[in-house]
Amino acid sequence: MKRYVYYLIITNILAFNITEGHKILLNQKEYGALQGMILSIVFGFIILFAFVRFFQRYPGKDLPDLMLENFPKLFSVLVLLAIAIIWFIVGLISLVTFTFTLKRFLTPESSTLLIASIFLIFITYGIFLRTKSVLYTIEIVLLMILPVDFFLILKSITSNDFKIDFVSESIMHINHLPNFTSISTALYIYFGIVNLLIFNNQFQEHEISFTWKDFCLSVLFGFFYLLVGFFIPIGLLGYDNIGTVTNPIITATDALRMPLGIIERVLFITLTEVIFSTFICILLQWHVVIQILKKIFKTKKFIWHNINFLFVAIVVLLWGTTIYTINVLNEYSLLVFVQNFFYILPFFLIFMLLLFYLIKRRQKQ
Amino acid sequence: MKMRKIHFCLICLMIFTSIFLNGCVFRDIDKRAFVTSIAIDHSGDEEKPFEVTVIVVVPSGSIKQEGVKYSFFSEKGTSISEALALIRATIDKDIDFAHTKTIVFSKELLKNNLGDFTDFFHRRRDIQLISSVGLTQQKAAEVIKLKQISQFAVATPLYNFFSRSAVQSPYITPLFLFDLRRKKVESGIDPVLPIIDIDKKERKFIINQAAVLTKDKYVELNPKQTMVYNILVGNIERFNAEIKEANGKLKYGIFIDSTDVSYKIIENQSQPVIHIKVRHQGILEESFMSTKLTEMETYAKETAKVAKKDMVNLLTYFQKQNVDPIGFGLRYKATHLHTRNIIEEWQKLYPNIKFKVDVDVNIKSIGTME
């Protein structure tokens, strides 16, 4: 069962390089992105360690259970709602970025509304699955896309057009001290483990025995993908030029060729992979949101004629907010929004650590 | 009763999903005009300087009977996109750039200082970044219109020259769109575009020259310089070298089949030096004199001497013209911690730098006879 915890972590790592995350880091290439990335190893380790060790202590229980047990109801509901909203926005960012990407590269002539709706239909079906089924879905999809992903990375690094000089030029900017943007953005890659706050109820005793080896492995994997998202676009598109590119990773794969492959343009393989990884990423994050909401509103008041109106309300809310945001945001405002949203994450992390400490103390009493 | 409900739902779902079956993104293949090459010329008109020509492949039911037909469309405009918009109004199909493989610019455009006219191609998402770019001294439209004698049915003629999977020649400098962009924007490296010329009578292309493009000028390279450049940057590993006597008579020819180039910028002396190491490995291919197995090392040394001279000549030529197509400036930036304005420092250093070239030729065999 340990591998399912890995899947939670990996899914978020994959999504980082698709959403604006790596773009923000690349924008900070002269403002300490590299040092920020290196620093994020430490923070990543703290996040992983805190979450896994805390939830190992309470097997089969999720955060809403623990909170409702130990704190007054109003406080718990407010905190859980805040977490749900933050986690909803995380998923929303992936979806909006994904819609914009697809609109630009795959189907420029269909409306964003249609792209988002088609995707939302599948997502809506997915997030109401049982938690176990969600985990199985992720496993299957990851098994399909991880080899493709490694192939793409290998393909870009071994390409003749991958210029090491550009990469080492960017490394020469390592002396810049990191700013808050680069640290908070790099931190996001390790946030996959936060999903454990719901998924922990699937792991029974002794099932997620993470050892030091596992911690190091997952942190290094995250760091590796940070480097991939940073250096592959630079190596293929040039150091000075990368600031002018809006979708670095996807444009970078367009610079690759497979003269003897089925498709010469590697871009389309990347796009397929992007669709899948965005799907599982949003699936995970919004499933957590749904589960938290389910735990908060446990009453049966909303059920009428076997239809749970709570779910209907949630779906309407999901669709409404998504479609509204897609219409309102453009590419630049999305970037600014994501960047500002990432500022919250370190505080979110500190808050969670505090919460864990409090729960632990209450449980002891 | 319950089964019926499920069946009803399934049927509804099937009908529902058919909404999404639209084929080629809401436009069928017979309503699309696939552009294979684009040519940009200077029209001579001040107001509408760009003359854009596109080749469109006309789809046919069976290639065997009807053959492949191409049609050409040309319009003038103040910008490339305007000209294309005008072309759009002349074709009864929707222009699709997804299969565009070659883009040819005429040199007139560079002379007229029209700004960054390649911007359009980088900005559009459906033009592949792996399409190749070339310059021409003639009219670009005529270059792409040329139908070669050796041309197969469905093919983008020029692309085979640049795709690296067909033609392997040291005189051809392939340059892809993304490469052009990154070298253009980056300080410390300049793009080199192939110059494509045509022989209309013989219906063939002549691609053996190149031009270095900088922000404000361009420097042309002759065929020999183009070849040495391609060897130095690793565009080609296999090529022929002719060793001549003092009176210009051919002594023998060498075929090099593997090349390895590395360079270092050394500056801890009073005179900064770029030290280039080249390793060639090859065989003797043709000789006008009797060759001896024991003499192989002499041949190698002789070849190395000739190669060294050519390389130093080219490098000093670049230096004199103040262009940097090999990317020494980029290497300088890549090896110095960014604490000051590195590129400015390099621009002061470059005119005074000396080149030291070490060529090591290893001749493996003299062929099947002595």
Side-chain angles (χ1 to χ4, degrees):
Chain A
M1 288 301 271
K2 198 160 75 181
R3 65 176 191 279
Y4 288 107
V5 183
Y6 271 114
Y7 295 152
L8 297 181
I9 298 167
I10 291 171
T11 310
N12 205 64
I13 288 171
L14 289 182
F16 181 83
N17 281 345
I18 300 160
T19 52
E20 302 282 341
H22 73 298
K23 169 71 184 155
I24 295 171
L25 271 185
L26 283 168
N27 281 350
Q28 304 294 328
K29 64 184 179 186
E30 277 168 25
Y31 305 98
L34 272 170
Q35 282 194 17
M37 275 152 67
I38 294 165
L39 261 180
S40 77
I41 296 181
V42 182
F43 293 120
F45 204 83
I46 295 172
I47 303 173
L48 270 178
F49 195 76
F51 270 86
V52 173
R53 275 292 149 90
F54 175 77
F55 282 111
Q56 264 177 355
R57 203 178 273 266
Y58 310 107
K61 277 189 175 175
D62 48 24
L63 189 73
D65 285 343
L66 286 167
M67 286 203 61
L68 290 167
E69 268 174 35
N70 295 308
F71 294 112
K73 183 144 195 239
L74 188 69
F75 174 74
S76 322
V77 167
L78 282 179
V79 169
L80 287 174
L81 260 183
I83 294 174
I85 288 171
I86 287 179
W87 226 227
F88 170 69
I89 294 174
V90 169
L92 190 65
I93 288 169
S94 313
L95 183 55
V96 176
T97 325
F98 167 80
T99 314
F100 284 174
T101 316
L102 230 59
K103 161 104 177 152
R104 182 174 320 110
F105 289 102
L106 210 59
T107 55
E109 279 150 32
S110 54
S111 71
T112 40
L113 189 69
L114 186 70
I115 301 171
S117 311
I118 294 171
F119 208 64
L120 271 172
I121 291 169
F122 290 103
I123 289 286
T124 318
Y125 171 73
I127 52 179
F128 284 107
L129 286 173
R130 280 178 304 124
T131 310
K132 244 201 180 89
S133 318
V134 171
L135 282 177
Y136 294 148
T137 315
I138 289 165
E139 182 171 30
I140 293 164
V141 178
L142 273 182
L143 277 178
M144 288 197 298
I145 62 170
L146 270 182
V148 182
D149 211 65
F150 285 126
F151 168 73
L152 285 175
I153 293 171
L154 220 82
K155 180 89 197 149
S156 4
I157 293 174
T158 54
S159 160
N160 281 338
D161 297 311
F162 184 78
K163 249 186 144 41
I164 293 291
D165 276 357
F166 288 124
V167 174
S168 50
E169 189 191 348
S170 66
I171 294 174
M172 286 301 129
H173 288 266
I174 200 166
N175 55 337
H176 302 290
L177 287 176
N179 56 11
F180 189 58
T181 314
S182 46
I183 295 177
S184 60
T185 310
L187 202 59
Y188 173 62
I189 204 162
Y190 304 106
F191 261 62
I193 195 66
V194 177
N195 289 319
L196 203 61
L197 61 88
I198 283 298
F199 285 93
N200 192 49
N201 61 23
Q202 299 302 317
F203 303 123
Q204 300 310 321
E205 217 159 338
H206 305 302
E207 277 181 344
I208 50 165
S209 49
F210 250 48
T211 55
W212 282 99
K213 210 172 71 191
D214 298 311
F215 284 123
C216 290
L217 200 67
S218 25
V219 169
L220 281 181
F221 192 70
F223 185 62
F224 171 68
Y225 262 78
L226 271 181
L227 297 183
V228 164
F230 193 75
F231 287 133
I232 285 184
I234 284 182
L236 285 169
L237 299 177
Y239 180 77
D240 285 351
N241 180 30
I242 200 72
T244 66
V245 180
T246 39
N247 278 26
I249 268 266
I250 293 175
T251 315
T253 48
D254 198 12
L256 299 173
R257 277 165 13 104
M258 286 200 297
L260 307 173
I262 308 165
I263 332 168
E264 192 184 12
R265 219 176 163 187
V266 181
L267 174 75
F268 290 113
I269 300 174
T270 323
L271 282 177
T272 331
E273 199 231 314
V274 164
I275 294 173
F276 280 118
S277 33
T278 323
F279 173 73
I280 50 170
C281 179
I282 303 172
L283 183 67
L284 260 188
Q285 285 153 351
W286 283 7
H287 182 77
V288 169
V289 175
I290 297 285
Q291 292 297 322
I292 291 177
L293 291 181
K294 256 191 198 169
K295 288 272 155 97
I296 298 175
F297 306 105
K298 258 189 177 159
T299 54
K300 294 195 173 160
K301 265 188 229 163
F302 304 104
I303 299 173
W304 180 76
H305 276 250
N306 244 342
I307 304 167
N308 194 338
F309 276 91
L310 177 66
F311 290 166
V312 177
I314 291 171
V315 170
V316 170
L317 204 72
L318 281 185
W319 282 63
T321 335
T322 313
I323 289 164
Y324 175 75
T325 357
I326 285 171
N327 281 329
V328 167
L329 290 178
N330 59 23
E331 264 165 22
Y332 176 69
S333 53
L334 175 69
L335 190 70
V336 173
F337 174 71
V338 175
Q339 197 169 328
N340 288 333
F341 176 73
F342 282 159
Y343 290 153
I344 306 173
L345 294 181
F347 301 110
F348 172 74
L349 179 68
I350 294 166
F351 176 75
M352 289 304 279
L353 295 183
L354 208 73
L355 201 67
F356 290 164
Y357 174 71
L358 284 175
I359 290 174
K360 230 159 99 179
R361 224 176 56 173
R362 293 244 170 161
Q363 282 280 10
K364 266 183 196 161
Q365 286 168 1
Chain B
M1 190 62 203
K2 211 180 171 191
M3 279 306 283
R4 226 185 226 181
K5 232 181 191 175
I6 292 171
H7 282 156
F8 178 72
C9 282
L10 277 176
I11 290 164
C12 280
L13 196 73
M14 272 170 71
I15 296 165
F16 181 66
T17 44
S18 65
I19 296 169
F20 302 118
L21 296 173
N22 273 297
C24 306
V25 203
F26 316 112
R27 198 163 287 143
D28 279 334
I29 202 156
D30 57 336
K31 286 177 186 139
R32 284 163 185 269
F34 291 104
V35 175
T36 56
S37 320
I38 307 175
I40 319 285
D41 277 305
H42 189 253
S43 64
D45 191 345
E46 280 290 307
E47 292 223 325
K48 293 182 165 181
F50 294 107
E51 191 182 339
V52 179
T53 312
V54 295
I55 299 191
V56 170
V57 184
V58 183
S60 59
S62 69
I63 293 170
K64 271 185 187 163
Q65 284 171 15
E66 296 167 38
V68 181
K69 286 173 199 151
Y70 297 96
S71 47
F72 304 94
F73 297 89
S74 185
E75 284 289 344
K76 289 172 193 168
T78 45
S79 66
I80 294 170
S81 49
E82 194 204 310
L84 282 171
L86 288 170
I87 289 174
R88 239 183 212 128
T90 58
I91 310 181
D92 65 334
K93 298 180 177 72
D94 184 50
I95 295 188
D96 192 312
F97 290 109
H99 292 268
T100 306
K101 284 286 190 191
T102 34
I103 300 161
V104 182
F105 299 104
S106 112
K107 229 163 62 179
E108 286 290 305
L109 286 169
L110 296 175
K111 284 180 192 155
N112 284 292
N113 201 14
L114 288 167
D116 186 9
F117 48 81
T118 56
D119 180 272
F120 172 80
F121 302 102
H122 306 295
R123 211 175 280 273
R124 263 197 84 100
R125 57 99 215 162
D126 55 353
I127 292 178
Q128 308 186 8
L129 285 178
I130 46 173
S131 44
S132 51
V133 193
L135 269 183
T136 177
Q137 281 158 331
Q138 280 138 316
K139 214 166 171 326
E142 275 167 12
V143 171
I144 61 166
K145 275 180 190 172
L146 183 83
K147 210 174 170 204
Q148 245 186 314
I149 298 172
S150 61
Q151 185 171 325
F152 285 136
V154 192
T156 323
L158 269 173
Y159 190 66
N160 272 350
F161 284 107
F162 302 118
S163 73
R164 288 176 194 167
S165 57
V167 184
Q168 294 256 347
S169 160
Y171 293 106
I172 294 172
T173 321
L175 186 78
F176 295 114
L177 204 51
F178 75 92
D179 208 17
L180 172 69
R181 171 77 183 172
R182 67 179 183 181
K183 284 180 178 164
K184 218 159 138 183
V185 175
E186 186 83 32
S187 50
I189 191 165
D190 297 320
V192 177
L193 282 99
I195 294 181
I196 306 158
D197 283 326
I198 49 167
D199 189 333
K200 259 187 170 174
K201 249 188 213 160
E202 304 232 328
R203 280 167 59 197
K204 65 179 184 190
F205 293 104
I206 305 159
I207 310 170
N208 55 15
Q209 277 173 293
V212 187
L213 209 67
T214 64
K215 283 196 176 65
D216 42 8
K217 63 172 179 189
Y218 66 93
V219 178
E220 278 180 43
L221 306 180
N222 61 29
K224 190 168 186 187
Q225 285 170 327
T226 310
M227 172 174 158
V228 177
Y229 164 77
N230 278 328
I231 294 164
L232 273 176
V233 293
N235 274 342
I236 193 86
E237 282 197 353
R238 309 153 77 92
F239 60 94
N240 291 72
E242 272 72 52
I243 309 301
K244 287 170 189 165
E245 277 176 61
N247 56 13
K249 215 179 139 201
L250 181 83
K251 258 163 118 184
Y252 52 87
I254 304 273
F255 176 72
I256 302 289
D257 56 12
S258 90
T259 310
D260 189 23
V261 184
S262 67
Y263 61 89
K264 232 198 275 177
I265 302 170
I266 306 163
E267 13 152 20
N268 50 4
Q269 302 151 353
S270 55
Q271 170 81 48
V273 174
I274 296 179
H275 189 184
I276 302 174
K277 274 187 196 162
V278 185
R279 274 180 56 96
H280 287 313
Q281 205 175 77
I283 55 168
L284 206 69
E285 209 179 35
E286 186 181 354
S287 175
F288 282 7
M289 55 181 200
S290 71
T291 51
K292 283 194 190 101
L293 264 174
T294 46
E295 291 280 297
M296 275 210 305
E297 259 177 42
T298 339
Y299 303 146
K301 269 185 193 150
E302 214 169 13
T303 316
K305 219 169 129 192
V306 174
K308 187 181 167 180
K309 206 180 116 204
D310 286 345
M311 283 172 186
V312 172
N313 277 350
L314 180 73
L315 292 169
T316 40
Y317 177 72
F318 285 151
Q319 193 184 26
K320 221 177 265 168
Q321 299 282 349
N322 199 17
V323 292
D324 189 1
I326 298 175
F328 294 126
L330 178 65
R331 178 62 63 85
Y332 191 76
K333 279 201 292 181
T335 45
H336 288 74
L337 201 62
H338 191 87
T339 46
R340 52 197 186 271
N341 198 340
I342 298 286
I343 193 68
E344 223 168 67
E345 202 177 291
W346 167 253
Q347 273 152 4
K348 276 181 204 148
L349 201 69
Y350 187 46
N352 306 319
I353 220 154
K354 237 182 127 179
F355 297 102
K356 190 180 165 211
V357 182
D358 276 347
V359 185
D360 178 26
V361 180
N362 185 5
I363 295 177
K364 280 274 173 202
S365 138
I366 56 166
T368 50
M369 62 176 202
E370 254 185 61

